[in-house]
Amino acid sequence: MSNLPKTVLITGATSDFGIAFAQKFAAAGVQKISLHGRNAEKLAMLQKSLSCETELLLCDLSDKQAIDEVFAGLKNIDLLINNAGGALGLEKVYEAKPEDWERMLDANVSSLIRITRHILPDMVARRSGHVINISSVAGSWPYPGGHVYCASKAFATQFSLAMRSDLVGTNVRVTSIEPGLVETEFSLKRFKGDQEKAAAVYADTRPLKAEDIAETVFFAANMPEHANITRLEIMSTDQATGPFQIYRGA
Ligand code: 8X3
């Protein structure tokens, strides 16, 4: 049975994931997609490429007031995809830059909860809706240099699970999607434009593609109303978790 939403809101819509989600839902026949981003030109380009009705939500997620102005009062959203966010840096925790942490926390944590808070009351009032949070395997499986990024994704996963506790009985669904290695601009952003370092992350292996994540998001969204995909972790077939590290030089 199909349960395609009529209206979808995607944050970080001009990222590789955001574009793949928008294209997937537009092609499936949703009526309207609200596209959030901070680059007006990129948003307009994406808007032109989509066949359905669209609405542009322009704002920088480090600006709380701007978030409130843009997202407060939005109504009739069937599916909110909290996709905005990313990683900055891969230095060890004692060498990392606090300003990178601040930006990650703004995008991955603060704006996630703020935007969700704006959208949820109308979903609850309508007894209908679905929030899909794009978390990461990093939220469950820590790795060197991950520190604040891993912690922010653990937050996204746990926030999703805790939201379900509050929303049970409201008919509003919540899903945490937790992708592993996906070839996108994620690494270019993490390494601040260093093409060589970013390419090395995906070299000689078969990373997932943004379209694979769009499939999983679509799967969760399209399940019948009585079924809530709570968590969905997806990795490349060529990726797995590693053993514990044991230091033997003591
Ligand atoms: C992206 C996946 O493993 O690079 O969230 O952190 S990973």
Side-chain angles (χ1 to χ4, degrees), residues 33 74 93 131 153 190-191 205 217-218 222:
I33 308 184
L74 289 181
V93 67
V131 179
K153 290 303 183 178
R190 165 170 262 175
F191 296 120
T205 190
V217 167
F218 186 78
N222 204 34

Side-chain angles (χ1 to χ4, degrees), residues 135-138 143 149 153 179-182 186 190 239:
S135 181
S136 166
V137 294
Y143 54 80
Y149 178 68
K153 290 303 183 178
L181 188 73
V182 193
F186 174 86
R190 165 170 262 175
Q239 181 181 29

Side-chain angles (χ1 to χ4, degrees), residues 11-31:
T11 67
T14 60
S15 68
D16 294 309
F17 276 11
I19 293 168
F21 300 161
Q23 288 171 342
K24 179 77 192 172
F25 282 96
V30 299
Q31 275 174 15

